[in-house]
Amino acid sequence: MRNIIIYIVFILFITILLPLFLVKGCSVDKETPIKDSPQKVAQNKELVKIYNTKTKNTDEMELEEYLKGVLAAEMPAAFHIEALKAQAIAARTYALNRIQRYGQGHPEHITAPLCTGVHCQAYLTLAELKDKHGESWIIEYWPRIVSAVEDTKHMVLTYDGELIEAAYHSTSGGMTEDSENVFATARPYLRSVQSPYEEGAPKLKDSISMPFNDFVKKLNEKYPNTKITKKNITQMIKVADKSDTGRIMKLMIGDKIVEGREFRALFNLNSTNFKVNLIGDTIQIETLGNGHGVGMSQWGANGMAKNGSSHEEILKHYYQGVEIRKYN
């Protein structure tokens, strides 16, 4: 009988009490790996595959080393260190989100989820940076790039526990754009916000000029028989739809509806926030901002940093409702 009682107590300990002790000993906090943690994607010391758009080869490199080349290519290294840190976290999040979505390869480069071109994120090797900027740049600025990446190691942006699509651009022109007005998909964290500290951005305001006949010729090559003349240009080119931030979503050119992004690409404009003016025999197109306008403005981030904002404050301003977390 005594042996039976001892056996029953042993079974109860194994099946009930021991699991309770084990569960009590495990805590979950903001540093717990996020759902579908990217460390599962980037195994082998976080080696990631990168398609090199110049050599057409697919290379493997450590994620954090890749991010140093991205940061140096995407943002001026002379920017405030807090802006550089914000960019490092955004770039890491963008890369890991891309790896999660296209782990077997992106349709545009099927051997890797990421590439070295602006299609993903621009990337330059240390040798390429030296050729581009010179040895003095490497000495003065490369340590700042390394510091920004290493000081934010493993930090990513999440929304509801998921990696966000951390879109960013050069200069917003004062207001960023809602994601659905550019990428067709509404993201709750990619909402239009003010970006007031962009003074000094080289392409905050810009313009291009061309002879009227060249302008019409280019339009007719893309959209035949537009029948635009100097007399009717204001009637033949009209804004059909504009976002609340002033970016042109659709134009009416003659009897054709043209996407603002398509017009921007046709004339290689800095942004879709533009105005077309006829001055004598010349067409002048004025632009405000540089880039698609969604997510973080890099020049705005630098302005916020110079005005005392931390990288956390910058990121939570441009990406609404996000958390900054470690992914492992």
Side-chain angles (χ1 to χ4, degrees), residues 153-260:
K153 191 173 183 178
H154 299 311
M155 302 309 297
V156 293
L157 298 165
T158 66
Y159 185 90
D160 282 347
E162 302 283 352
L163 288 168
I164 72 166
E165 294 181 46
Y168 55 87
H169 59 281
S170 172
T171 313
S172 76
M175 288 284 291
T176 67
E177 187 59 271
D178 291 333
S179 60
E180 62 269 27
N181 291 337
V182 178
F183 303 132
T185 303
R187 302 292 186 200
Y189 47 84
L190 293 176
R191 300 294 86 199
S192 175
V193 297
Q194 291 186 350
S195 185
Y197 302 115
E198 297 181 344
E199 298 89 350
K203 295 183 179 180
L204 176 61
K205 295 181 179 180
D206 204 357
S207 67
I208 64 168
S209 298
M210 69 190 74
F212 175 81
N213 290 338
D214 291 351
F215 174 76
V216 172
K217 180 182 178 182
K218 197 159 191 173
L219 281 179
N220 283 327
E221 288 172 353
K222 183 73 174 179
Y223 316 108
N225 302 314
T226 56
K227 299 178 181 178
I228 295 173
T229 67
K230 291 179 185 177
K231 289 185 178 180
N232 70 14
I233 187 170
T234 55
Q235 288 76 41
M236 296 296 285
I237 300 180
K238 293 183 177 180
V239 176
D241 190 16
K242 182 185 290 189
S243 73
D244 292 339
T245 68
R247 293 173 175 85
I248 293 175
M249 299 176 66
K250 295 182 187 297
L251 279 176
M252 179 71 76
I253 300 179
D255 59 356
K256 299 174 178 64
I257 294 291
V258 175
E259 295 283 337

Side-chain angles (χ1 to χ4, degrees), residues 11-272:
I11 293 298
L12 289 172
F13 177 80
I14 293 296
T15 58
I16 298 175
L17 298 178
L18 183 59
L20 287 175
F21 289 132
L22 292 174
V23 170
K24 188 176 180 181
C26 298
S27 63
V28 177
D29 57 29
K30 286 187 178 182
E31 292 193 355
T32 299
I34 62 175
K35 183 179 178 182
D36 294 327
S37 180
Q39 77 263 25
K40 296 177 183 177
V41 181
Q43 293 292 343
N44 301 322
K45 295 184 179 179
E46 299 181 318
L47 288 180
V48 295
K49 288 185 176 181
I50 313 291
Y51 175 73
N52 191 312
T53 57
K54 299 183 184 77
T55 65
K56 311 303 180 186
N57 294 327
T58 298
D59 305 316
E60 279 193 337
M61 65 184 77
E62 289 189 18
L63 174 63
E64 297 300 310
E65 292 306 307
Y66 160 72
L67 289 172
K68 292 170 187 175
V70 170
L71 181 55
E74 287 282 3
M75 178 176 272
F79 271 14
H80 194 286
I81 190 63
E82 291 300 307
L84 290 171
K85 289 179 182 179
Q87 178 66 67
I89 294 172
R92 183 181 294 107
T93 306
Y94 184 94
L96 288 169
N97 178 281
R98 204 83 160 175
I99 291 169
Q100 280 191 340
R101 292 167 61 197
Y102 305 108
Q104 301 306 310
H106 191 279
E108 298 295 322
H109 33 83
I110 60 174
T111 59
L114 295 164
C115 73
T116 60
V118 293
H119 171 260
C120 294
Q121 299 183 108
Y123 167 86
L124 292 171
T125 66
L126 194 57
E128 288 171 329
L129 288 165
K130 184 177 179 180
D131 288 342
K132 181 177 181 179
H133 299 297
E135 180 68 32
S136 60
W137 185 96
I138 300 296
I139 294 170
E140 183 175 2
Y141 292 112
W142 182 246
R144 304 182 83 245
I145 296 295
V146 172
S147 176
V149 173
E150 293 185 350
D151 288 351
T152 63
K153 191 173 183 178
H154 299 311
M155 302 309 297
V156 293
L157 298 165
T158 66
Y159 185 90
D160 282 347
E162 302 283 352
L163 288 168
I164 72 166
E165 294 181 46
Y168 55 87
H169 59 281
S170 172
T171 313
S172 76
M175 288 284 291
T176 67
E177 187 59 271
D178 291 333
S179 60
E180 62 269 27
N181 291 337
V182 178
F183 303 132
T185 303
R187 302 292 186 200
Y189 47 84
L190 293 176
R191 300 294 86 199
S192 175
V193 297
Q194 291 186 350
S195 185
Y197 302 115
E198 297 181 344
E199 298 89 350
K203 295 183 179 180
L204 176 61
K205 295 181 179 180
D206 204 357
S207 67
I208 64 168
S209 298
M210 69 190 74
F212 175 81
N213 290 338
D214 291 351
F215 174 76
V216 172
K217 180 182 178 182
K218 197 159 191 173
L219 281 179
N220 283 327
E221 288 172 353
K222 183 73 174 179
Y223 316 108
N225 302 314
T226 56
K227 299 178 181 178
I228 295 173
T229 67
K230 291 179 185 177
K231 289 185 178 180
N232 70 14
I233 187 170
T234 55
Q235 288 76 41
M236 296 296 285
I237 300 180
K238 293 183 177 180
V239 176
D241 190 16
K242 182 185 290 189
S243 73
D244 292 339
T245 68
R247 293 173 175 85
I248 293 175
M249 299 176 66
K250 295 182 187 297
L251 279 176
M252 179 71 76
I253 300 179
D255 59 356
K256 299 174 178 64
I257 294 291
V258 175
E259 295 283 337
R261 287 173 292 173
E262 193 174 295
F263 188 89
R264 176 194 174 193
L266 180 62
F267 291 99
N268 195 29
L269 304 177
N270 290 338
S271 76
T272 55

Side-chain angles (χ1 to χ4, degrees), residues 302-322:
N302 190 49
M304 286 184 67
K306 291 196 298 185
N307 279 272
S309 295
S310 67
H311 62 277
E312 293 97 336
E313 291 169 329
I314 293 167
L315 291 168
K316 289 184 177 182
H317 172 73
Y318 284 110
Y319 304 106
Q320 296 285 289
V322 300

